[in-house]
Amino acid sequence: MHSSGAEDLARKIQASQNMAYLKNMQVEGLEQWVTNSGFTVDELAWIQPGYPPPAAMSPMLGGVDGTVYAIEPSNFGTVYAAGSFSTADGATVNNIAEYLPGFAGYLWTNLGDGFNNTVFALDRIENELVAGGSFTASGSTPMFGVAKYTDAGWVTLGNGLNGTVQDLEWFNGSLYAAGQFNKPENGTPFCNFARWTGTSWESLGGTINGPVYKLYNDGDRLLLGGSFSAISGVTVSNIAAFDGSTFSAVGSGLTMQVRAIERFNNELLVGGELFHNNQLCGLMKLEDNAWSTLLTNMQYSLDSSNVFYDLDVINNRLLASGNLQFFPMMGNYGSGVLEFVMTDQIDYLNGYSAFDTTVFVVEPFLDGIYAGGQFKYSFNTELNGIGVLEDVITSIQASNPLLNIKVFPNPSNEYIFIDGILEETEIKIYSIDGKLVEQYTTNQNHRLKTQPSGLYLLQAFQKGKQETLKILFN
């Protein structure tokens, strides 16, 4: 806009609507400038820096009146949500709730008496739900830090854990708990990490000198992430490994607090605060026994207060969620949930969705995700702490591309043909706001169904490979 000579118009936009999406800008003279530019509004919107991510969340009824820290979907369509809230869609639930499918639709309901304080973690023991947090009672029944849900309601696991349970993880046939706690009876210290034997909690012989926020089952070892520097004299620096009997360091350790751990493309990744002591951290990778940041070339796109709270691999995508505000020069902006793309040539972030504040957890289901956090809105949709995203294309990057797939003419005023289909291929076409508008399977070249004017994404899937193409109907 500056280079076209429209300096006054550019300054007017910068002063009043600088971060607005092009289609939503209401500035006198903009429409005429677009016409004179020779581009359509859709074409300019596509190349606009920080184009909005296409993944828009849908509400789960009225959501909750607080913050969601943990989500646990079941195999029967039920979803459990836990955190710090009193009601779900108006029903009293006390920090944990059940989202039930029914004949007439979904319903939020209580799960027993709930708890008297925050729930941070959910997991299962032989298909029974286990909750961990900072609570001390369920209803009038004393219950310290960890409890199991049965047909009789919530019951304590042993004598509980005195303090706050931040995470629960199943490893080598046992349930493990981590956080900031000790054993309640006789004040015997557990020092933030314990194992459930089936009848009681046992100490694992390690004195961890700080809180543990994350547990991750890494196959033959359990990884612990948090804010600590030693376990029983072993220097570990915020991340450690436990093989069932002994602790060890993981690489050279980390300066940042570790909030998230995940493997992607067989790489071990951790997430945490973007900066620690003015050192760029945020998203780190272990390589040759040393940790390095993956964000070297993109720190300009993130705010210094950003924190990565969760990492998840969903549909072969690595999603990073947290207190994130991402404004790239090109590509999709995002807030709350971002996608991290790793290729042989470059690693980069891309916007996945947009929330008005922090996302603490994402959980997969089928071809979509549930998201929970402190947020109230995604775009202009009111969610209130929890939302659902069904099958939506979230990246225009092709993985294992089918190089023989072509579309022509593109753009087109009438028909677009697809060429290069030699065997059974699934076709999906998405509008630019991420909605699936057409889906079918074919084994031959053909003419695409004409769509209303606008930009679309076409995905072709064939024998585990895929290609994504941008198409434009004028």
Side-chain angles (χ1 to χ4, degrees), residues 293-361:
T293 183
L294 291 169
L295 305 179
T296 303
N297 297 320
M298 57 190 77
Q299 60 264 40
Y300 63 86
S301 300
L302 291 159
D303 185 89
S304 61
S305 63
N306 291 164
V307 178
F308 291 82
Y309 284 111
D310 196 17
L311 298 172
D312 291 271
V313 177
I314 298 173
N315 292 339
N316 296 317
R317 295 186 176 97
L318 178 66
L319 299 187
S321 55
N323 172 24
L324 305 173
Q325 299 288 331
F326 180 66
F327 299 101
M329 291 301 295
M330 293 296 293
N332 297 341
Y333 84 75
S335 56
V337 182
L338 309 178
E339 178 184 2
F340 191 78
V341 181
M342 299 177 70
T343 70
D344 293 337
Q345 291 78 33
I346 189 171
D347 301 333
Y348 63 94
L349 283 172
N350 200 30
Y352 184 90
S353 193
F355 297 81
D356 59 344
T357 187
T358 307
V359 176
F360 286 109
V361 58

Side-chain angles (χ1 to χ4, degrees), residues 18-243:
N18 192 41
M19 295 309 300
Y21 174 37
L22 180 65
K23 288 186 175 182
N24 296 331
M25 289 181 182
Q26 300 293 322
V27 178
E28 184 179 357
L30 178 60
E31 184 176 354
Q32 185 60 50
W33 179 84
V34 170
T35 301
N36 295 340
S37 73
F39 293 96
T40 67
V41 171
D42 280 328
E43 289 170 331
L44 288 171
W46 182 265
I47 63 173
Q48 179 187 7
Y51 188 83
M57 306 295 292
S58 298
M60 297 169 67
L61 299 178
V64 302
D65 66 343
T67 301
V68 171
Y69 291 109
I71 298 173
E72 182 75 13
S74 79
N75 295 328
F76 307 103
T78 298
V79 182
Y80 302 103
S84 177
F85 51 85
S86 300
T87 64
D89 196 39
T92 300
V93 293
N94 297 324
N95 300 309
I96 189 166
E98 186 176 15
Y99 190 62
L100 287 168
F103 181 77
Y106 277 88
L107 171 72
W108 280 108
T109 185
N110 63 298
L111 204 59
D113 291 327
F115 299 100
N116 67 340
N117 212 334
T118 304
V119 179
F120 290 106
L122 294 173
D123 210 321
R124 293 179 180 276
I125 298 179
E126 297 176 349
N127 211 36
E128 291 183 311
L129 189 69
V130 180
S134 57
F135 51 85
T136 58
S138 175
S140 60
T141 304
M143 219 161 284
F144 295 91
V146 63
K148 179 176 69 172
Y149 191 69
T150 69
D151 292 340
W154 290 103
V155 297
T156 185
L157 287 182
N159 292 306
L161 298 166
N162 186 25
T164 298
V165 174
Q166 294 280 357
D167 203 9
L168 298 163
E169 185 66 271
W170 193 261
F171 173 69
N172 276 358
S174 296
L175 181 71
Y176 289 77
Q180 300 154 277
F181 56 76
N182 56 44
K183 194 175 181 180
E185 69 267 30
N186 304 321
T188 304
F190 262 6
C191 296
N192 306 332
F193 185 54
R195 177 168 56 202
W196 175 245
T197 67
T199 57
S200 63
W201 291 99
E202 66 173 343
S203 173
L204 297 166
T207 301
I208 303 177
N209 67 345
V212 181
Y213 299 122
K214 180 65 178 178
L215 296 176
Y216 180 78
N217 188 337
D218 197 34
D220 59 353
R221 60 183 183 171
L222 184 64
L223 300 181
L224 295 75
S227 181
F228 48 83
S229 58
I231 303 179
S232 294
V234 178
T235 301
V236 288
S237 194
N238 299 327
I239 187 167
F242 180 71
D243 64 7

Side-chain angles (χ1 to χ4, degrees), residues 254-256 273-282 284 291:
L254 295 150
T255 59
M256 70 173 185
E273 55 199 323
L274 184 63
F275 286 97
H276 182 81
N277 292 337
N278 295 320
Q279 179 182 356
L280 180 65
C281 301
M284 311 283 286
W291 292 97

Side-chain angles (χ1 to χ4, degrees), residues 314-315 317 352 364-369 389-394 428 439:
I314 298 173
N315 292 339
R317 295 186 176 97
Y352 184 90
F365 82 101
L366 300 177
D367 292 323
I369 66 168
L389 173 67
E390 297 180 356
D391 186 15
V392 174
I393 175 73
T394 59
K428 292 183 179 181
Q439 180 178 6

